[in-house]
Structure formats: structure tokens, C-alpha cells
Amino acid sequence: MNITPNSGEVISAPPPHEAYANAPDLRREIHQVLALGAERDGRQARPVTGPPVDATAAERAWRLRQAALMDRMALDDPRPGPVAAAAETAEQLVLHDRRHPDLVAGPHHPEAITLAPSRRLYVRQEYAAWTAAGRPGI
């Protein structure tokens, strides 16, 4: 449990085994996140199999999945490199969500996240809420 210094609000998130219960295995998720990144950067065309995707929601889904992937990898390998990558991608998600608060699904909004450890908890909160909502944006 972490408490934000500005509000005293308790930042809670589901434990990793709950937050990532419906996540693809790591190898498959790495492939999917890389493919989404290639679509995002224009290096790969998006398959035209469904309705048009909202670009902001798609960007958020990519950032969320990338942050969740890095968090899961850091949980499996808590050395400085994986932990730093998880912290960086979590920070990028928090910054994105501060610009687009309408896309936040969990109870704690990104402006409440001020401590670095809370950012990974925020990723878990948002990933669990995103999967519960049917994985919008992809």
C-alpha cells in the first residue's frame, strides 16, 4: 500500500497475479506489443478487419500493454534493468493519462500518482480495469 503525499489517498491495486490473470503469456504479449508499436509508428499497416480505431484510445492501449509487459518482466526479473524499464513505461502511461483523463478506467486518477512506486501500481490498476472493460482501443 502506498499513500500519495499530496492527498493522503491510499493507492491500492490488484496484486500482479490478479491484474495480469487474463494477460497473454509473455512471449505472445511481446510479439503483440511490438506489432502494435509498428502500427503506431507506421512501420506496419493495421489489418482492416473491424471498425476504425480511435487513435488516442489505440495509443493508450499500446502504452498500457507496454507498461504492463515491462511490469510483468520486472516482477520475473527484479534486476535494475528490468525494474528501470518498468518504471519508465509506467511513467509514460501516467503522463499519457494525465493528458487524456477520460481514458482512465480505474479508481485512482493519474494526477494522484506522485510516487514512483505507485506508477507500477497504477499500471496494474489500469490493466485490470482495461481487461474487465473488454480491452478497448485495440
Side-chain angles (χ1 to χ4, degrees):
M1 173 177 5
N2 289 294
I3 299 176
T4 62
N6 298 337
S7 68
E9 180 180 6
V10 175
I11 301 297
S12 59
H17 71 275
E18 288 177 19
Y20 303 130
N22 296 315
D25 66 70
L26 285 176
R27 177 177 243 148
R28 184 174 189 186
E29 187 67 347
I30 289 168
H31 176 75
Q32 290 177 354
V33 167
L34 288 172
L36 288 172
E39 289 173 15
R40 172 187 174 267
D41 298 343
R43 293 176 282 129
Q44 177 177 317
R46 183 177 186 279
V48 186
T49 56
V53 174
D54 174 83
T56 304
E59 172 80 11
R60 203 258 180 180
W62 174 74
R63 289 195 180 279
L64 174 60
R65 289 180 73 181
Q66 182 185 42
L69 173 62
M70 293 297 114
D71 184 41
R72 292 170 61 202
M73 292 174 74
L75 289 166
D76 284 351
D77 182 1
R79 291 179 298 158
V83 169
E88 175 61 28
T89 56
E91 173 70 14
Q92 293 304 313
L93 176 65
V94 168
L95 293 173
H96 183 273
D97 285 1
R98 285 181 178 160
R99 290 188 307 272
H100 304 284
D102 55 311
L103 297 175
V104 174
H108 302 289
H109 284 266
E111 67 274 0
I113 309 302
T114 57
L115 298 173
S118 299
R119 292 183 177 111
R120 286 181 61 192
L121 295 176
Y122 178 75
V123 170
R124 293 173 199 157
Q125 165 196 281
E126 290 301 303
Y127 192 88
W130 178 74
T131 56
R135 301 168 49 113
I138 60 169

